[in-house]
Amino acid sequence: MVIPWATVETLAPEVVSVASVGDVSRNFASCDRVVQRLLAKTPALYDALTTRDITEMIRVVHCRGEGMDRTISTGAGAHRLVLRPVLGPAGDVHAVRLWFGAVAVPIPPSRPAVGLIWELDTQLIHQPVDLRRLCGVDAEEFVPRRSIAELFHRISTFDRHAEVLDLLYAPVPGKKLQFDVIVTSGSMRRGHWRITMRARDDERTRGAWLLIEDVTSDSMPSMAPALDHVGLREAHRRAGTHLAIVQLEHATIAHWLTEPAPWIRWDYLFRPVDVFHPGDRARLVDFGARLASGDAVEVAVRTLNYGGGYTPTSLLLYPYPGYSARQLTIAQFVHVGDDLPIAQPTEPVGYDEQLRRWRSDRMEHTPAY
């Protein structure tokens, strides 16, 4: 019997659980219980090692950030125990991968996996270079930091945005989520990712730590969007309606509900807050109380455009049902005037080269209507 790799997540201090065994999600299962079951499948090794021995090795790999290989003599011959860390953007260990079996048995290949960090104060997801190994990521479009809106925009037929935003914008230790998504990027093959995340609010991070496992296969589901979803998006596109979830406290776009407004530069920014002119951000924050009471608000703002200047835009803000405490609002963006003669920034505001490539790939692979 071939034992699959087990992935033990270490996304929060003093917490370990099993994210997956092979390609099967384990949804934060007890590490001790899963290790016991795996050991039971290799009786010879079960007689030589205890669950506590293996969990201690996981702890050592987590603390040191280095892999471990051990050969163990048993009555049925030599067995091998292999542990590998999964690193995040700061070099921390977000998970430990574990495999054991007879030395004569080939070690099965382990799928790519990486750790990410969501930083609430900057509204940025920090990504390691190894993210480029995942299916669905174009290496030439990789950037070390991106907004949550950009991640959502590359996910197909996903319906758990509210749960994710609730965790990310209210990082209460103990909150956790695991889900699968289909991602696309330019001309790359679609990827199937398993995302495991835990909220954190400590000296290291105010936000969340994430683990992404690439579980792409030739038999992965097509994930075709529902007819009503396709129809609504097409109706909005033809009507020129552009809707997004905006986080008022930080004045950033969290998620586009329709196609993004084409005159707004919201992607590949160093700081997602730069979508709105500095003089308008404080005004957006002030509307939180009115929206929390159930009122709708209309406000004129200046939004960053792809030329580096600003475009007059009208925002119609509506309360986000059930999430007023998170300072989230549904915003309709309406183009109301020509670009303003405001001096452009002297320094780049984002990853311009990657942006050009992404927009070019999008235009090339967008069907004509």
Side-chain angles (χ1 to χ4, degrees):
M1 176 183 295
V2 178
I3 303 297
W5 285 88
T7 302
V8 180
E9 60 88 8
T10 56
L11 298 172
E14 308 303 325
V15 174
V16 295
S17 69
V18 179
S20 64
V21 176
D23 291 340
V24 180
S25 168
R26 294 310 302 267
N27 198 27
F28 305 100
S30 164
C31 184
D32 287 348
R33 188 177 303 117
V34 171
V35 169
Q36 279 185 334
R37 289 176 179 173
L38 292 175
L39 279 174
K41 296 179 180 180
T42 54
L45 197 57
Y46 192 83
D47 293 336
L49 284 175
T50 67
T51 301
R52 181 175 295 181
D53 293 331
I54 295 179
T55 55
E56 175 61 19
M57 294 179 200
I58 293 172
R59 187 193 68 80
V60 171
V61 171
H62 174 239
C63 292
R64 296 179 179 176
E66 299 175 352
M68 181 184 296
D69 286 51
R70 288 190 58 184
T71 300
I72 299 170
S73 298
T74 74
H79 280 61
R80 187 177 182 186
L81 187 67
V82 182
L83 297 97
R84 296 286 183 266
V86 177
L87 302 179
D92 299 290
V93 178
H94 286 228
V96 176
R97 285 185 147 168
L98 166 71
W99 180 87
F100 47 78
V103 169
V105 175
I107 301 176
S110 61
R111 293 180 177 274
V114 296
L116 281 68
I117 294 176
W118 159 257
E119 192 175 61
L120 179 59
D121 292 340
T122 63
Q123 301 282 284
L124 286 168
I125 298 173
H126 297 253
Q127 306 178 142
V129 173
D130 278 352
L131 186 77
R132 297 182 298 182
R133 298 174 53 218
L134 273 58
C135 192
V137 176
D138 190 324
E140 296 182 7
E141 292 175 3
F142 169 80
V143 293
R145 289 168 291 278
R146 74 173 351 129
S147 69
I148 185 64
E150 290 177 270
L151 176 61
F152 280 152
H153 196 60
R154 300 190 181 204
I155 293 176
S156 303
T157 60
F158 184 62
D159 61 1
R160 300 182 66 182
H161 302 90
E163 295 175 77
V164 176
L165 291 175
D166 189 25
L167 184 149
L168 297 181
Y169 284 109
V172 178
K175 292 179 65 175
K176 59 187 184 293
L177 276 177
Q178 186 179 74
F179 49 88
D180 285 15
V181 297
I182 303 298
V183 296
T184 56
S185 178
S187 59
M188 293 293 295
R189 176 192 176 196
R190 292 184 312 145
H192 182 183
W193 294 358
R194 177 161 298 134
I195 300 180
T196 306
M197 60 172 64
R198 284 187 182 270
R200 293 186 59 158
D201 190 1
D202 51 52
E203 68 280 359
R204 292 297 309 278
T205 304
R206 181 172 179 247
W209 279 24
L210 292 78
L211 168 69
I212 298 183
E213 300 175 79
D214 188 339
V215 292
T216 307
S217 68
D218 293 334
S219 60
M220 69 184 198
S222 61
M223 302 292 286
L227 181 60
D228 58 349
H229 176 80
V230 174
L232 284 173
R233 287 188 74 91
E234 176 61 7
H236 283 307
R237 189 189 72 83
R238 291 182 178 272
T241 305
H242 305 286
L243 300 172
I245 302 300
V246 171
Q247 212 282 340
L248 290 176
E249 182 182 3
H250 295 275
T252 55
I253 295 172
H255 169 48
W256 285 102
L257 299 171
T258 63
E259 289 300 314
W263 69 90
I264 297 176
R265 176 169 182 180
W266 60 278
D267 45 358
Y268 284 103
L269 292 172
F270 296 147
R271 304 189 325 143
V273 72
D274 285 337
V275 168
F276 298 102
H277 187 276
D280 297 326
R281 296 169 196 162
R283 297 167 59 215
L284 290 175
V285 175
D286 292 340
F287 288 126
R290 289 179 58 184
L291 289 165
S293 66
D295 292 339
V297 176
E298 183 173 2
V299 57
V301 297
R302 292 155 290 182
T303 54
L304 185 68
N305 58 47
Y306 286 100
Y310 291 90
T311 302
T313 300
S314 173
L315 286 186
L316 303 176
L317 305 178
Y318 306 94
Y320 191 100
Y323 286 81
S324 59
R326 309 291 183 256
Q327 294 288 295
L328 296 176
T329 179
I330 300 173
Q332 179 177 348
F333 292 76
V334 180
H335 189 290
V336 294
D338 297 331
D339 294 349
L340 298 171
I342 298 175
Q344 296 186 9
T346 57
E347 299 292 334
V349 296
Y351 306 95
D352 294 339
E353 182 177 344
Q354 290 89 339
L355 173 67
R356 284 192 292 269
R357 178 178 177 84
W358 167 248
R359 285 170 62 84
S360 175
D361 284 342
R362 287 278 293 176
M363 293 179 64
E364 181 179 342
H365 293 90
T366 297
Y369 291 91

